[in-house]
Amino acid sequence: MSEEQKENIQAGNPLGEASVASLMVKFAVPSIIAMIVSALYNIVDQLFIGQAVGTLGNAATNVAFPLTTSCIALALMFGIGGASCFNLNMGRGSSERAVYFVGNAIVCLIGSGVILFGIAEIFLTPLLKGFGAPGDVLPYAQTYVRITAIGFPFMILTAGGCHLIRADGSPQMAMICNLVGAIVNTILDAVFVMVFRWGMAGAAWATIIGQIISAIIVIHYLLHFKTIPLKKEHFYPQIKYIGRTAQIGMASFFNQIAMMLVQIVMNNSLTFYGASSIYGEAIPLACAGIVIKVNQIFFSIVIGLSQGSQPVESFNYGAKKYDRVRKAYRLAALTGVIISIFSFVLFQIFPRQILGLFGTGEPEYFTFGVRFFRIFLFFIWLDALQPITSTFFTSIGKPAKGIFLSLTRQIIFFIPLLLILPRFMGIEGCIYCGPIADFLSAVVTIIMAFLEFKNMPKQDKNR
């Protein structure tokens, strides 16, 4: 393709011409809504389970959550990776190459979902025990996961496919895909759990039915991809496209895997140190699960912001329009910090009221839950910077920096603290790991972002 043809492709794409602020609204708002809706799958299940089953049911959904995180990790690796590669190549004018990343990403999303389903069904009990399930919680978790595992391929395809839909310039459709499934899930939760009294199984069936419906909508859209029509040859797996997609999406993948590892270690620590405290095993496990999932709503907004900035950053970096890249990042970071401060105030003032939404419990349940909310999430007002900056590095084709940054909070800081502090502080040590890790990772994020933007003008002159 000639340079003139490439310039024509770039000039015809609004990602390189429209106002950065308007593009961020166009892409980020539907992304935020889609991510919140996705988070509500787990929140709605926990709300109904908490009311119908109680503390053991809440603890069971917390034990099962690492498998959900695994689904999201795979979806982000191939979804964000494929979307970033597509937008980067479109920005460079390489449209013929760009479309292969979309087709190969779709194949990987479906294939990884089938593999994870098989692993979960075959090794269900050892996995749940490894995730920290006490004996009285294990049967509830087994019932829930054995059913929800059926939905893993659909969940991964929906979560990852929405990134490809967004990259195709249809953020509203990505939002609709998630919204429809969440509405179905909520309605069926009420029917299956509260009316039919199916308990854990009812919540699980409601979840996978919603996921299947969302996946059907995603498949229909991807078969009618707007920018460049997908053909049969685009779906043939090729290592060069899969490898680059995985490489670019690896930062987001590791971020989720790190969160999963943190939760597994946290669950086991809460169970172990909770047993020797006044709270027992189940209360810390249930409270931590509620706090983490409520925090996931805030985090969904931040991830939606970062996803909304991804097409803008990728295309303009590929087109060497670095001022637009800076504007997109700064707008996402500033908005994320404002939302983080609001979340901090909310979680500090209303922790007991939030816990009450998930059912009643003993006085110790509220005592531990309120303390966990206020201390564990104390530095939440800094938490937006790390995922937004990690996605930024991925978007501009620098996955190594994105991977490192995605590992700072969970792997480099949190897990070592979680292995050390409880030895001296007991169950309190599990609580204080969160704010310390949040603060340290925010410092690293700010330094890396500052250095990257400091060097960007030099790159602009050299190219």
Side-chain angles (χ1 to χ4, degrees):
M1 181 179 292
S2 68
E3 290 299 320
E4 183 179 353
Q5 288 175 313
K6 291 182 179 181
E7 289 176 4
N8 288 337
I9 291 174
Q10 293 168 351
N13 197 313
L15 288 171
E17 304 296 333
S19 161
V20 171
S22 65
L23 287 170
M24 288 293 290
V25 171
K26 175 183 177 182
F27 284 92
V29 171
S31 297
I32 290 170
I33 295 173
M35 289 302 299
I36 291 175
V37 167
S38 180
L40 287 176
Y41 268 108
N42 296 299
I43 292 289
V44 169
D45 278 359
Q46 188 128 19
L47 281 168
F48 283 104
I49 288 170
Q51 295 293 336
V53 181
T55 301
L56 293 178
N58 279 328
T61 58
N62 187 27
V63 168
F65 199 58
L67 284 170
T68 301
T69 307
S70 299
C71 290
I72 300 299
L74 291 166
L76 293 183
M77 179 165 66
F78 296 117
I80 287 183
S84 296
C85 289
F86 174 78
N87 287 132
L88 280 167
N89 280 275
M90 290 298 294
R92 294 167 183 155
S94 303
S95 57
E96 298 95 338
R97 175 178 167 84
V99 71
Y100 279 95
F101 286 104
V102 176
N104 276 246
I106 294 170
V107 172
C108 290
L109 289 168
I110 297 173
S112 61
V114 173
I115 292 171
L116 187 60
F117 159 71
I119 292 173
E121 292 291 349
I122 294 171
F123 302 104
L124 179 61
T125 299
L127 283 172
L128 293 176
K129 288 182 178 179
F131 295 161
D136 54 350
V137 174
L138 183 61
Y140 293 93
Q142 287 173 320
T143 299
Y144 186 73
V145 176
R146 199 173 295 283
I147 298 170
T148 55
I150 300 170
F152 287 171
F154 304 100
M155 179 183 180
I156 293 173
L157 177 60
T158 299
C162 283
H163 290 283
L164 302 175
I165 293 172
R166 205 172 290 117
D168 192 41
S170 300
Q172 292 84 3
M173 179 54 67
M175 176 188 70
I176 290 171
C177 292
N178 284 284
L179 188 59
V180 170
I183 292 173
V184 171
N185 177 43
T186 303
I187 295 172
L188 293 182
D189 261 328
V191 175
F192 292 168
V193 179
M194 305 306 292
V195 178
F196 293 168
R197 302 291 179 182
W198 289 353
M200 302 296 294
W205 281 114
T207 296
I208 67 169
I209 292 172
Q211 290 168 349
I212 290 170
I213 292 173
S214 291
I216 291 171
I217 300 173
V218 169
I219 291 170
H220 181 267
Y221 180 93
L222 292 175
L223 292 176
H224 301 85
F225 207 67
K226 285 192 318 183
T227 306
I228 307 172
L230 292 172
K231 299 178 181 178
K232 187 169 26 175
E233 59 265 25
H234 298 143
F235 293 95
Y236 294 148
Q238 296 187 49
I239 191 64
K240 63 180 178 180
Y241 297 117
I242 294 175
R244 184 58 177 165
T245 297
Q247 183 186 28
I248 293 295
M250 197 63 70
S252 299
F253 172 81
F254 276 131
N255 189 49
Q256 293 294 317
I257 293 298
M259 290 172 61
M260 183 188 74
L261 292 175
V262 163
Q263 189 170 20
I264 292 171
V265 176
M266 174 68 90
N267 286 350
N268 282 281
S269 297
L270 290 169
T271 302
F272 180 79
Y273 291 102
S276 58
S277 73
I278 61 172
Y279 305 112
E281 292 179 324
I283 287 177
L285 201 59
C287 290
I290 292 170
V291 171
I292 289 170
K293 288 182 180 178
V294 170
N295 183 45
Q296 196 183 22
I297 296 179
F298 148 74
F299 216 70
S300 296
I301 299 174
V302 174
I303 296 297
L305 274 172
S306 65
Q307 291 175 356
S309 65
Q310 177 269 313
V312 184
E313 292 166 348
S314 292
F315 184 92
N316 285 286
Y317 195 84
K320 303 179 184 179
K321 297 182 178 182
Y322 300 118
D323 284 343
R324 293 175 63 80
V325 177
R326 293 188 194 91
K327 288 179 182 177
Y329 172 82
R330 288 170 183 167
L331 188 56
L334 178 61
T335 307
V337 169
I338 293 172
I339 292 168
S340 301
I341 294 172
F342 175 80
S343 300
F344 169 79
V345 173
L346 182 68
F347 294 157
Q348 291 296 314
I349 297 177
F350 302 109
R352 186 180 181 90
Q353 289 83 349
I354 295 172
L355 286 166
L357 295 173
F358 296 88
T360 58
E362 304 169 21
E364 291 82 4
Y365 167 81
F366 287 102
T367 300
F368 183 84
V370 168
R371 188 166 178 78
F372 197 92
F373 249 120
R374 288 177 171 160
I375 297 176
F376 191 78
L377 300 180
F378 185 79
F379 279 116
I380 191 176
W381 52 277
L382 292 173
D383 282 358
L385 297 175
Q386 189 239 29
I388 288 174
T389 308
S390 177
T391 299
F392 161 73
F393 282 119
T394 298
S395 300
I396 64 173
K398 297 187 177 182
K401 291 183 178 180
I403 291 170
F404 171 76
L405 198 55
S406 69
L407 296 178
T408 51
R409 195 264 182 190
Q410 288 90 354
I411 300 298
I412 298 175
F413 297 130
F414 191 95
I415 288 182
L417 287 168
L418 191 55
L419 295 175
I420 296 171
L421 290 187
R423 292 179 179 271
F424 301 97
M425 302 172 64
I427 195 74
E428 291 289 305
C430 298
I431 301 177
Y432 280 94
C433 295
I436 298 173
D438 287 340
F439 177 77
L440 293 175
S441 64
V443 171
V444 174
T445 298
I446 292 169
I447 293 172
M448 289 184 66
F450 173 79
L451 293 175
E452 183 64 31
F453 284 110
K454 182 181 178 181
N455 293 329
M456 197 172 284
K458 298 177 183 178
Q459 294 172 344
D460 199 359
K461 293 176 183 178
N462 293 335
R463 291 192 177 192

